[in-house]
Amino acid sequence: MTTVTRALAVPSASAHFEPVTIERRALRDHDIRIDIAYAGICHSDIHQVREEWGPAVFPMVPGHEIAGVVSEVGSAVTRHKVGDRVGVGCMVDSCGQCEQCLAGHENFCQVKTVWTYNDTYPDGEITQGGYSQQIVVAEDFAVKIPDSMELDVAAPLLCAGVTVYNPLKRWGAGPGKKVAVVGMGGLGHMAVKIAAAMGSEVTVLSQTTSKEADGRAFGAVDYRATADGSVYSELRGTFDLVINTVSADVPLDRFLRMLRPFGAVVNVGLPTNPQQVRIGSLTSGDKVLTGSNIGGIPITQEMLDFCGEHGIAATVETISADEVDKAYDRVVNSDVRYRFVIDVSTIPAT
Ligand code: NAP
Ligand code: ZN
């Protein structure tokens, strides 16, 4: 039997949020129902609601940083039980059979990764995300939240956490490595905390020094403002790894010049305009310019366990349902410390 649940939706591109009622599918054998407690606001939600990445599906219930409690399980579920604290990130399904799925890279499924919202399942069901009180997902797409972690500060790890943990691990962050994090918003503040917990020496490159005290508290040993531009020459040839989380146009050549030979600039921010780079910035020092897309289910669980062991999680501002439009404007203005999470119990009845 399908169920109905309260949600927050935008009826069309860039419209305001309004409370709605949506339907969740009847539980299949491998599905679980989650009573959502908190949903993080990722800048990707804003890009999609405002159609900055192209045409989107409306009405849209965004939200891919979901934390809650399992309230019902399908007849064949083995991974989770009623009462478990779980999270759902950017994906809710994939083929499970292809080379990428079998390697734990469900985000690169060769058949179809089904995104948590603004997408459709192969059978035509439209996905609706976490700004809602309930979601039904295949058990394999829910991960366990460590007991030591509160659900509000866990929610943002489901996207922001894994999106930075994955490239930090892959590109060798750790003792003896100098890591720069560009932009200290939702992704950036988690990159600082995780890179520091991995043992690397972290520098924040922010537009101003207004958040310096927080950056140092998160584990950075240096914090520089990019606004006056001199930092790029002062720190030339310094870093093994630069993680760029900025959602706007960025000076990639300048970041590449800040690398040591063989270092890497990894882009996780997704500006809408094409960016340019001089090939000479790559050849002088055999440097790598690359990108990274969230992470598969196994590394998402690994990241949560890592954060649990190291006592880190997101730094959040919890808001109610009627504050989401205002929060979007604040994120766009870089006025977020450091992730908004929606208490979905405040979504009113329609
Ligand atoms: P966010 O909270 O808005 O953080 C972005 C930060 O970038 C801001 O806090 C600001 O930091 C800096 N910034 C913003 N505008 C800037 C500008 N014009 N020039 C220089 N710096 C600027 O956003 P987020 O949720 O962390 O997401 C960041 C980006 O990553 C978005 O584009 C999002 O879509 C993308 N994303 C990608 C993935 C992936 O899988 N690759 C996953 C999730 C999100 P300071 O104030 O410190 O300068
Ligand atoms: Zn996200």
Side-chain angles (χ1 to χ4, degrees):
M1 204 178 51
T2 58
T3 49
V4 292
T5 184
R6 293 183 198 178
L8 283 179
V10 280
S12 58
S14 302
H16 290 298
F17 278 93
E18 51 190 43
V20 295
T21 300
I22 59 170
E23 238 179 45
R24 295 299 191 186
R25 68 171 180 251
L27 251 58
R28 298 176 188 146
D29 293 349
H30 283 282
D31 279 347
I32 60 172
R33 185 185 315 284
I34 301 167
D35 284 346
I36 300 173
Y38 297 98
I41 294 178
C42 177
H43 207 118
S44 302
D45 300 347
I46 303 174
H47 289 309
Q48 290 174 86
V49 162
R50 299 187 176 176
E51 286 195 321
E52 291 167 356
W53 291 346
V57 184
F58 295 100
M60 185 195 299
V61 178
H64 59 208
E65 294 186 335
I66 299 169
V69 177
V70 177
S71 58
E72 196 183 344
V73 297
S75 60
V77 167
T78 55
R79 288 168 69 113
H80 307 288
K81 58 183 190 314
V82 171
D84 284 358
R85 303 159 78 250
V86 294
V88 174
C90 299
M91 308 173 275
V92 286
D93 212 356
S94 71
C95 85
Q97 310 292 325
C98 72
E99 184 190 346
Q100 296 302 325
C101 284
L102 292 174
H105 305 306
E106 300 87 349
N107 47 326
F108 302 133
C109 175
Q110 291 160 296
V111 181
K112 180 173 171 53
T113 304
V114 181
W115 305 108
T116 305
Y117 65 88
N118 190 22
D119 201 5
T120 46
Y121 282 93
D123 70 359
E125 179 189 342
I126 291 172
T127 58
Q128 298 288 11
Y131 298 5
S132 60
Q133 294 185 338
Q134 240 182 51
I135 193 167
V136 171
V137 292
E139 60 170 332
D140 289 350
F141 286 81
V143 287
K144 293 195 183 304
I145 292 174
D147 291 339
S148 58
M149 208 181 275
E150 298 296 335
L151 293 178
D152 53 352
V153 295
L157 301 184
L158 275 301
C159 174
V162 69
T163 299
V164 296
Y165 179 88
N166 191 10
L168 284 167
K169 183 180 175 193
R170 174 155 178 214
W171 293 98
K177 294 294 170 72
K178 292 189 175 175
V179 176
V181 174
V182 190
M184 202 172 76
L187 268 55
H189 93 289
M190 284 314 307
V192 175
K193 291 185 185 193
I194 292 172
M198 287 174 167
S200 24
E201 198 177 296
V202 184
T203 297
V204 178
L205 303 175
S206 183
Q207 294 166 96
T208 68
T209 52
S210 63
K211 298 179 281 193
E212 178 168 359
D214 290 341
R216 290 184 184 275
F218 297 155
V221 297
D222 199 2
Y223 196 107
R224 301 295 186 99
T226 52
D228 75 1
S230 61
V231 66
Y232 296 109
S233 48
E234 281 166 30
L235 295 181
R236 200 182 175 113
T238 301
F239 301 109
D240 299 286
L241 179 59
V242 174
I243 304 281
N244 170 31
T245 75
V246 174
S247 46
D249 295 347
V250 285
L252 286 174
D253 287 303
R254 294 176 135 188
F255 294 162
L256 287 164
R257 284 198 290 272
M258 296 171 102
L259 289 176
R260 303 174 66 205
F262 312 108
V265 170
V266 183
N267 294 281
V268 291
L270 287 164
T272 43
N273 298 323
Q275 307 294 303
Q276 281 200 335
V277 64
R278 285 177 57 250
I279 299 300
S281 304
L282 298 168
T283 54
S284 58
D286 290 18
K287 291 166 182 173
V288 177
L289 176 64
T290 186
S292 189
N293 175 263
I294 50 169
I297 295 297
I299 201 163
T300 304
Q301 187 65 63
E302 179 184 313
M303 172 278 307
L304 282 166
D305 295 343
F306 175 91
C307 289
E309 282 159 23
H310 290 266
I312 52 179
T315 298
V316 305
E317 192 175 325
T318 303
I319 59 168
S320 54
D322 58 353
E323 295 175 298
V324 175
D325 290 310
K326 203 170 60 191
Y328 270 36
D329 291 337
R330 284 185 53 194
V331 172
V332 170
N333 292 325
S334 303
D335 179 23
V336 51
R337 296 191 180 206
Y338 286 86
R339 201 55 141 186
F340 289 108
V341 294
I342 307 164
D343 172 354
V344 301
S345 70
T346 61
I347 299 174
T350 52

